[in-house]
Amino acid sequence: MSSLLVVRATDDAGQLAPSADALVTIPGGSIADWQAAALFMTHRRDVDGETPLLALVDSSLDNDALDERLEILIPARPDGIVLSGVADGTELQRLDVALAVAEAMAGREPGETPLIAMIGDNASGLLSFASFAGRTPRLRAVGRAATALAAELQVPGSPDQQGDESAPVALSRGLTLLGAAKARVAALDWLDPSLAGEDLERACAAARRDGFTALITETSDHLPAIAAAYG
């Protein structure tokens, strides 16, 4: 698996071409949005039962909100959870417990739902990169999102005309990879949606060179460049 395409729960599940290795749906904030996300997964499996379906979960949800939303989502049998904004390893443990409860309520095996932790989309997660090891056997990968990190730090998120990144964004690349190595899991990178042409090709090539095993993108236009870099 080298490409994960972000989709909206409101997208037509039957019209999405299976060109990505996996799909990541982003529910909105309301309960109705999460119901729509669960329905999207159910309908998508009727069309394409092979492509893994994951859901993005915001780590800022409080315990009650998290439990309520997982109770809706887990019966739709997501193939994984992408947890965004993970500040330290305790947040993985919190999600692990919440998932176990939701899995039991849905009649699924405890521990069946794997987890990707976005530790490189916020400064706290990067500074705590060593805290994610051993927190949960669900963990399959950790990820970086340079644009989200740059927005938090109020620095440029994309390389300049010379190909140089701002210092904090450049550092996030190495810290995410170190966090993955410490936890003995894969590392993923989330592409800047504005990338195109040679800039996109360089970003994909650099990600593979540095050891990111897969790329997340918000636009299907990026998929050919990802395939070329990881083919």
Side-chain angles (χ1 to χ4, degrees):
M1 181 184 298
S2 60
S3 61
L4 294 83
L5 176 63
V6 175
V7 297
R8 303 290 172 180
T10 53
D11 290 342
D12 188 336
Q15 296 301 314
L16 291 171
S19 52
D21 296 327
L23 300 179
V24 182
T25 182
I26 301 183
S30 71
I31 293 299
D33 291 330
W34 285 76
Q35 292 169 336
L39 191 61
F40 172 89
M41 289 187 171
T42 301
H43 287 172
R44 179 64 189 179
R45 283 204 174 87
D46 290 339
V47 177
D48 172 19
E50 300 296 325
T51 304
L53 303 174
L54 296 84
L56 186 77
V57 175
D58 189 341
S59 66
S60 67
L61 290 171
D62 64 31
N63 290 337
D64 289 341
L66 179 62
D67 290 342
E68 188 175 21
R69 284 154 177 77
L70 291 180
E71 186 177 343
I72 295 169
L73 184 68
I74 294 304
R77 307 184 71 83
D79 295 300
I81 298 294
V82 180
L83 185 65
S84 65
V86 187
D88 59 54
T90 62
E91 295 188 354
L92 299 186
Q93 292 175 307
R94 182 172 77 99
L95 180 60
D96 186 24
V97 172
L99 279 171
V101 172
E103 287 166 340
M105 293 177 64
R108 299 186 64 180
E109 287 293 323
E112 187 176 314
T113 311
L115 172 62
I116 295 171
M118 298 301 296
I119 69 171
D121 60 357
N122 69 99
S124 295
L126 289 167
L127 293 175
S128 303
F129 74 88
S131 72
F132 301 99
R135 295 288 184 166
T136 170
R138 297 179 188 272
L139 187 64
R140 298 292 186 273
V142 297
R144 180 186 84 126
T147 51
L149 176 65
E152 178 185 295
L153 300 178
Q154 298 184 342
V155 299
S158 297
D160 59 22
Q161 293 181 345
Q162 285 72 44
D164 296 326
E165 294 178 311
S166 63
V169 172
L171 181 61
S172 71
R173 182 183 296 272
L175 291 177
T176 301
L177 291 164
L178 288 173
K182 176 69 174 177
R184 298 179 182 272
V185 297
L188 282 65
D189 203 6
W190 192 308
L191 290 172
D192 181 341
S194 70
L195 287 172
E198 292 183 357
D199 291 337
L200 173 62
E201 293 173 2
R202 282 194 295 267
C204 294
R208 180 168 188 183
R209 176 201 66 209
D210 290 344
F212 290 99
T213 58
L215 296 175
I216 305 174
T217 178
E218 298 172 53
T219 170
S220 59
D221 293 342
H222 285 174
L223 294 176
I226 297 173
Y230 283 82

